[in-house]
Amino acid sequence: MDYADEETIGLLGGRRQSMSTRYHLTRRGAARRLVEIARIANRFDVLHGLTPVKMRLMFEALGPTFVKVGQILSMRSEILPQQFCDELAKLRANADPMPYATVIGVLEREYRRPIDEVFASIDPSPLGSASLSQVHRATLVGGEDVAVKVQRPGVRETMAQDVAIMRSIASTASKVVRKPQVVDLRGVVEELWETFEAETDFRVETRNLVEFNSFCHDFAYMDCPKPYTDLCTEHVVVMDYIEGISVSRPDLLTREGYDLEEIGTKLVDNYATQVLDRGFFHADPHPGNIIVSGGCIVLIDLGMTGRLNGRTRSALRDMIFAVAEQDSPRLADGLLRFAGTEAEVGDYPALLSDLDSIVQEYGTVDLTDLDLSAFLAALTQMASRHGIEVPSSITTVGRALVTLEGTLDEFIPNVNMIEIISKHMAQSKTTSLASDELRRLGAEGHKAVHGLLAALSESRVVSRMLTRGQIRVNLELVGSREPMLLLSDMVNRLTMALIVVGLFVGSSIVYFAGMKPVVFGIPVIGFLGYVVAFALSLWIVADIYIKGRRARK
């Protein structure tokens, strides 16, 4: 057993493998990859500008990492112009097939035994070939008809190398040029890293298949392939092979007696359930991943999925209702909750004004005319202008909905996705609001009970200290400094006035007593008292006059 690649623990803490160690990255490899990227960029004449189509073709030529970058950027209109985003949304990770011998080699390395002990046969011709993996039809030794998804050798190292290069560039750029675009670039790179980690570990897809299978049990018209978990590894997925007709073949579906409108309606309604009710959804519903078989809609390729927690789903529903009801304050509240930010917006009136514009533009159109992609782009751009950091989950949801909308527009045009989602929300509004309210009340009640118990416990300690005379109170009057200074000044003047009066009275008593020696017919002690009293009187008058003028200024 090789212990070098394992994590360790010790007295000084654990030792985790770095990205370079885990994926065998070297400076020589990075330099070689940079030269390759530069060569491809030069082929597309990047220095003289890129059109949307040339950018899409260049990303496809650069490989799977840049295909993912393009797919993420397609929903980031705050970084790229909208026409570029629209073109990058067409990116698909198709690639030339890898040799059959390479496929067999990967399977032998994964299973560490002869292939004929696992598979009775494997079709040499692939069912599909992407830049990340390739799928073949096969038969297990037990006779089961399966699809085998095999990861391309070296693709993880290439993608890790690309991400490491992008991280370095983004980190350096953020130190030199501190602009919002650079921050967004770093966010895209980190989102790409998370996507890379999930999509290149096929055990994640296996778990997604198991979970989605459980979800489909509640719907007679939905299905997805069942994985053979004992045969699934980090680089191989084995699942049921399902023969069906892709939704990209509406003519074939019609010929087989299927109702296209029914298929589209059920697909969208179920997708609304995935996103808004369950919070676990297929994140790449393009035509190649949706087939119809035996009266069921089957979603395949669960490599890309999205998740939304209850708070996020509630905020998303509120935002959709706010747009429909043209309620800008409610939309602002939902946006802030969706972003998960606790900080206040710097210019809330300006935020409401921008949201008014979005509501007026998109909330007043008929559902059949709503441009979902443009709406999400406008909302994202507006949030960016106000410093509201929208989480990556909205990118995933938005990209998935736009992909599904494009699929329907092209192949099942009579089905309006937005209208179906709105009906779904209206039907589940009462139930969802009631359950959300009960959940909220339960959480608040839980906090209140614990707060009350804590207060009772503290009050017992306080009462015990009070009976022992151990209570001390530190009292601070907020904003009391100026009044206290004025009061102190008044007391000082009053004290001086009393001293002056005392001197005058005392000196007069000495005068009438006729004490000697005498100066100017006045006893010396009385004379000195009159002089001091007069001087202090002048000082009090001058002080009142000077401070009065200063206060008026």
Side-chain angles (χ1 to χ4, degrees), residues 338-409:
F338 189 71
T341 177
E342 298 294 334
E344 293 184 359
V345 178
D347 192 347
Y348 192 75
L351 173 64
L352 288 180
S353 177
D354 285 347
L355 287 174
D356 282 338
S357 301
I358 292 177
V359 166
Q360 289 172 7
E361 183 175 357
Y362 297 100
T364 57
V365 301
D366 189 84
L367 286 174
T368 56
D369 300 324
L370 179 62
D371 187 340
L372 181 63
S373 177
F375 167 68
L376 291 173
L379 196 62
T380 304
Q381 287 177 335
M382 184 279 307
S384 178
R385 285 198 304 271
H386 289 276
I388 301 173
E389 185 179 352
V390 178
S392 60
S393 54
I394 194 174
T395 305
T396 306
V397 172
R399 185 169 61 239
L401 290 176
V402 170
T403 301
L404 183 58
E405 185 182 42
T407 299
L408 294 172
D409 287 345

Side-chain angles (χ1 to χ4, degrees), residues 377-445:
L379 196 62
T380 304
Q381 287 177 335
M382 184 279 307
S384 178
R385 285 198 304 271
H386 289 276
I388 301 173
E389 185 179 352
V390 178
S392 60
S393 54
I394 194 174
T395 305
T396 306
V397 172
R399 185 169 61 239
L401 290 176
V402 170
T403 301
L404 183 58
E405 185 182 42
T407 299
L408 294 172
D409 287 345
E410 186 174 358
F411 301 110
I412 314 178
N414 294 328
V415 173
N416 184 268
M417 185 179 74
I418 305 300
E419 189 172 5
I420 296 170
I421 292 176
S422 299
K423 289 180 179 178
H424 176 92
M425 290 178 60
Q427 291 171 357
S428 61
K429 183 176 182 180
T430 304
T431 304
S432 63
L433 287 177
S435 61
D436 288 346
E437 189 64 24
L438 286 173
R439 194 179 299 111
R440 192 178 298 114
L441 286 173
E444 291 177 356

Side-chain angles (χ1 to χ4, degrees), residues 134-207:
Q134 189 161 295
V135 181
H136 287 258
R137 187 174 182 176
T139 304
L140 297 179
V141 290
E144 296 89 348
D145 197 7
V146 297
V148 184
K149 183 176 180 179
V150 181
Q151 189 174 118
R152 289 177 179 267
V155 71
R156 302 190 77 185
E157 289 72 18
T158 301
M159 293 183 75
Q161 187 74 79
D162 289 344
V163 172
I165 292 171
M166 291 178 192
R167 268 183 164 176
S168 299
I169 293 173
S171 178
T172 303
S174 67
K175 295 175 183 177
V176 177
V177 184
R178 297 186 179 275
K179 292 184 178 181
Q181 287 84 350
V182 176
V183 176
D184 288 336
L185 178 59
R186 295 186 70 179
V188 169
V189 172
E190 292 309 313
E191 183 180 341
L192 175 67
W193 174 249
E194 293 175 5
T195 304
F196 159 74
E197 288 275 69
E199 290 194 41
T200 55
D201 186 349
F202 283 180
R203 292 171 298 187
V204 174
E205 182 173 353
T206 302
R207 292 194 293 269

Side-chain angles (χ1 to χ4, degrees), residues 249-292:
R249 299 294 306 276
D251 53 335
L252 216 60
L253 289 170
T254 304
R255 197 181 311 152
E256 292 294 322
Y258 289 106
D259 184 340
L260 295 181
E261 189 170 345
E262 181 185 3
I263 291 173
T265 301
K266 287 182 175 179
L267 174 61
V268 174
D269 187 71
N270 186 267
Y271 208 80
T273 302
Q274 295 175 37
V275 174
L276 298 174
D277 299 340
R278 300 296 180 89
F280 174 65
F281 58 95
H282 194 298
D284 192 21
H286 67 80
N289 286 340
I290 307 171
I291 63 175
V292 179

Side-chain angles (χ1 to χ4, degrees), residues 33 36-70 73 80 84 87-88 91-92 162 166:
R33 180 57 177 162
E36 183 182 0
I37 291 172
R39 179 174 52 79
I40 295 174
N42 183 62
R43 192 173 81 206
F44 285 90
D45 199 16
V46 172
L47 294 179
H48 292 88
L50 285 173
T51 64
V53 174
K54 284 177 67 176
M55 177 177 280
R56 176 177 61 81
L57 293 175
M58 183 183 73
F59 279 3
E60 289 175 350
L62 286 169
T65 311
F66 288 86
V67 169
K68 296 297 178 188
V69 170
L73 287 175
L80 291 176
F84 281 82
E87 186 63 33
L88 292 179
L91 279 169
R92 288 288 171 260
D162 289 344
M166 291 178 192

